[in-house]
Amino acid sequence: METFFVSEKEKSVINALQNVSEEAIETKINTLKKWIGQCSHLPLESKDEEFLKIMLLRGKFQEGNVKKRVQNYFTHLCKYPEFFVGLKNIKPSNEVGVVVTSPALTPSWERIVILSLDSEKLEKVLDVHRCLYFAIATGTILFNYDYVPSVRVILDFESWTMSHILQGNINDFFKVRDIYENVFKMRISGIEIINAPHLLGAVLNLAKVVLKPKLFSRITVHKDLRSLYEKVPKQNLPRDYGGELQSVKELLKVWDEIFTKKRGFLENIEQLCQRNGQEESIFGPQGSFKTLVVD
């Protein structure tokens, strides 16, 4: 489902908005590949040009930042193996946790990501770790294939209860934050909370503990969908939210196809995670690099 992600034409527009030319990107990629060739600890996957283009976008085309991000990316894949092993076996439509994205970008070039629960599959005891695991899996694909400047996240708490929140392990939330900051590092332009009046205090208290102040300041609590439409156009929302897209269930089927097509990529992520974790001559405790040199 490559058409689900950003087209080559859209990439050119995004690059122009970042004030960087195709020629400049090519020059930076060649410089990065030369640097990677001098870093024996980095795997061959780090030389992939499409991967480096993504890293350049995430690093705002500043080579020093990009080098650090490349190092961090491969370090943190093995730091938390519980979030990166077995991703190839996921089928989104079977998950209790729901993660779907809008097929088209917003007029401000954002990708909309919706996180919620499937009430039809919801059991008395919710596995919050599994929900986070699935979100990381989707994020892994988006980070490596979706050439977008930023994402806007919608958190729908309609089917959540206080007991669900209390079942979450605070250490898991901190691990996910660390993965976001060091593996994905995608700009989140906003976090839109909906259907959470009964949980609002608990949700915001948890967010204040886990999120850094800059990201916490980007949270908006919506009293209704009309308020949400002020931030997210209807053409970027599923029918379930009064939008013009196909339903959440239909979007999950699209993601079933994406996960199937990206199975080889997800297998490679798992192999990198396991291989890096075993290479004590290269990696230090918990899979971290013994040295982190960015010239």
Side-chain angles (χ1 to χ4, degrees):
M1 302 297 295
E2 296 297 337
T3 55
F4 187 87
F5 299 117
V6 175
S7 67
E8 291 300 319
K9 183 177 179 180
E10 288 173 319
K11 287 181 182 179
S12 296
V13 175
I14 289 171
N15 290 337
L17 292 171
Q18 304 296 318
N19 295 315
V20 60
S21 67
E22 300 295 331
E23 293 77 13
I25 291 175
E26 190 65 31
T27 298
K28 290 178 183 293
I29 286 177
N30 290 334
T31 300
L32 288 168
K33 289 173 75 174
K34 182 178 179 180
W35 167 74
I36 290 169
Q38 299 170 346
C39 300
S40 59
H41 55 273
L42 289 176
L44 291 175
E45 289 81 359
S46 63
K47 295 183 180 180
D48 181 79
E49 290 195 5
E50 293 305 312
F51 170 76
L52 290 176
K53 286 180 181 178
I54 285 281
M55 285 300 199
L56 281 167
L57 177 68
R58 306 294 181 226
K60 299 181 180 179
F61 299 95
Q62 299 174 12
E63 290 178 26
N65 286 341
V66 175
K67 289 178 181 179
K68 184 175 181 179
R69 287 166 190 258
V70 170
Q71 298 259 29
N72 285 347
Y73 180 84
F74 290 102
T75 299
H76 283 72
L77 283 178
C78 57
K79 186 176 180 181
Y80 303 119
E82 67 269 32
F83 282 105
F84 291 101
V85 173
L87 302 185
K88 64 181 182 296
N89 300 318
I90 289 177
K91 185 176 182 180
S93 62
N94 288 343
E95 296 291 325
V96 176
V98 173
V99 184
V100 294
T101 60
S102 60
L105 302 183
T106 68
S108 53
W109 298 92
E110 299 169 335
R111 179 75 72 192
I112 303 302
V113 180
I114 301 174
L115 287 81
S116 61
L117 295 179
D118 187 336
S119 59
E120 296 179 2
K121 298 187 183 73
L122 192 58
E123 298 177 357
K124 186 174 182 179
V125 178
L126 175 68
D127 187 345
V128 177
H129 176 85
R130 179 71 187 186
C131 292
L132 295 173
Y133 174 77
F134 175 38
I136 290 295
T138 306
T140 302
I141 294 175
L142 286 172
F143 178 80
N144 281 273
Y145 291 96
D146 205 16
Y147 196 86
V148 295
S150 64
V151 299
R152 186 173 295 273
V153 180
I154 298 175
L155 299 179
D156 182 356
F157 285 94
E158 182 175 16
S159 298
W160 284 82
T161 65
M162 185 62 72
S163 63
H164 292 152
I165 293 179
L166 293 176
Q167 287 163 19
N169 186 324
I170 190 66
N171 290 326
D172 277 349
F173 290 108
F174 281 118
K175 288 177 182 179
V176 170
R177 186 188 74 178
D178 194 26
I179 291 169
Y180 159 70
E181 292 179 345
N182 293 290
V183 179
F184 302 150
K185 200 62 177 179
M186 299 172 70
R187 181 179 185 273
I188 297 179
S189 52
I191 299 175
E192 317 302 325
I193 294 179
I194 61 174
N195 297 321
H198 58 303
L199 297 171
L200 190 55
V203 170
L204 292 180
N205 286 337
L206 177 61
K208 187 172 291 186
V209 170
V210 175
L211 301 181
K212 292 191 174 180
K214 184 176 181 180
L215 188 53
F216 182 81
S217 69
R218 295 177 182 172
I219 293 177
T220 301
V221 179
H222 298 275
K223 60 181 180 180
D224 52 33
L225 290 178
R226 186 178 303 174
S227 171
L228 179 65
Y229 301 152
E230 295 175 5
K231 291 287 190 73
V232 184
K234 285 187 177 183
Q235 63 261 32
N236 296 106
L237 289 170
R239 289 199 300 267
D240 313 63
Y241 299 94
E244 300 172 6
L245 295 177
Q246 55 264 63
S247 68
V248 168
K249 285 188 177 181
E250 289 170 321
L251 288 173
L252 280 172
K253 291 186 180 298
V254 173
W255 271 99
D256 283 348
E257 295 180 38
I258 292 173
F259 266 77
T260 297
K261 187 165 185 177
K262 301 303 182 187
R263 184 180 178 87
F265 161 74
L266 294 173
E267 288 176 342
N268 190 50
I269 291 291
E270 179 173 340
Q271 291 168 5
L272 278 171
C273 175
Q274 294 174 330
R275 184 169 74 231
N276 291 349
Q278 295 169 355
E279 293 178 358
E280 291 297 331
S281 61
I282 296 176
F283 295 91
Q286 293 185 317
S288 60
F289 282 111
K290 291 181 178 178
T291 58
L292 181 61
V293 179
V294 180
D295 298 326

